[in-house]
Amino acid sequence: MIVGVLALQGDFREHAQVLRSLGAEVEFVRRPEELARVSGLVIPGGESSVMDKLSRTFGLAEPLKAAIRGGLPVYGTCAGLIMLADTVIDGIAGQQSLGGLDIAVRRNAFGSQTASFETDLDIPAVGEEPVHAVFIRAPIVETVGPAATALASVADGRCVAVEQGNLLGTSFHPEITGEYRIHEYFLTKVATAGLN
Ligand code: GLN
């Protein structure tokens, strides 16, 4: 079972390192042929407007959309969550997403004063111990549609993690804090999808 990490831009190396530590074989995905080989895909943090442009330039956007529709397990962090959102608020002119998650996300939603911060989150889906979460110019999930489920929220109640069938998304970056449980949870999804 090979797990892909979209490697157009952003912190794809950090995700690869976490996935390898959990025993997964990792393939960096930059081309449709590489996407075709993987049983799951992580879309890293970075800059969603750049990732959007590069995915269209490299001819990956349509294969990615088809894979998402076809049930490929995909986990997006931060910019990756934006890529998976059906609706993007405050995108740059012409910004598109791949979609799949029935949510509306607002980019850079925490404002410039608190553009980056850390906090502990309760995420019962991955275990009892709180998850230490780092937010870097992070989006917020402003609307969770009926098809999606909120998994975590910050103290004021705003949603920062969601799940919908084969898709998982977090506003924060578990790949840089030594937190492996969310990737582990994702790998369970990949394994389960592979059994179907
Ligand atoms: N603000 C970035 C964007 O809009 C996301 C930041 C991140 O991935 N850490 O894509």
Side-chain angles (χ1 to χ4, degrees):
M1 206 168 62
I2 305 173
V3 180
V5 181
L6 189 66
L8 297 172
Q9 190 268 339
D11 74 334
F12 50 86
R13 289 179 196 83
E14 285 77 0
H15 279 285
Q17 194 250 319
V18 175
L19 292 166
R20 287 191 184 115
S21 305
L22 291 169
E25 189 181 333
V26 173
E27 166 121 26
F28 287 127
V29 172
R30 298 186 179 89
R31 288 188 294 230
E33 310 85 87
E34 291 154 351
L35 179 63
R37 281 200 285 271
V38 302
S39 304
L41 181 75
V42 172
I43 306 183
E47 175 48 53
S48 57
S49 58
V50 177
M51 239 181 257
D52 164 42
K53 277 188 193 148
L54 290 175
S55 67
R56 285 189 274 144
T57 306
F58 281 59
L60 256 182
E62 291 308 318
L64 281 168
K65 286 183 195 168
I68 291 167
R69 271 198 305 273
L72 182 75
V74 183
Y75 170 33
T77 60
C78 202
L81 169 68
I82 297 170
M83 292 297 288
L84 287 177
D86 281 347
T87 305
V88 178
I89 304 164
D90 286 347
I92 67 161
Q95 180 167 351
Q96 297 175 22
S97 66
L98 300 165
L101 282 174
D102 181 17
I103 58 170
V105 292
R106 184 179 296 279
R107 289 177 67 230
N108 305 328
F110 292 96
S112 55
Q113 289 300 319
T114 52
S116 300
F117 66 98
E118 303 186 21
T119 190
D120 286 333
L121 299 173
D122 277 328
I123 312 186
V126 303
E128 266 176 36
E129 282 293 304
V131 170
H132 187 66
V134 175
F135 293 82
I136 304 167
R137 298 182 63 240
I140 200 85
V141 182
E142 222 165 75
T143 312
V144 181
T149 305
L151 292 182
S153 41
V154 282
D156 65 10
R158 292 188 290 174
C159 174
V160 291
V162 290
E163 180 172 32
Q164 181 180 332
N166 53 315
L167 306 178
L168 180 67
T170 60
S171 298
F172 54 91
H173 291 271
E175 73 281 9
I176 59 172
T177 53
E179 171 61 67
Y180 286 17
R181 285 174 294 168
I182 298 178
H183 288 79
E184 224 167 10
Y185 184 71
F186 175 64
L187 288 178
T188 310
K189 265 185 179 317
V190 177
T192 310
L195 297 176
N196 294 334

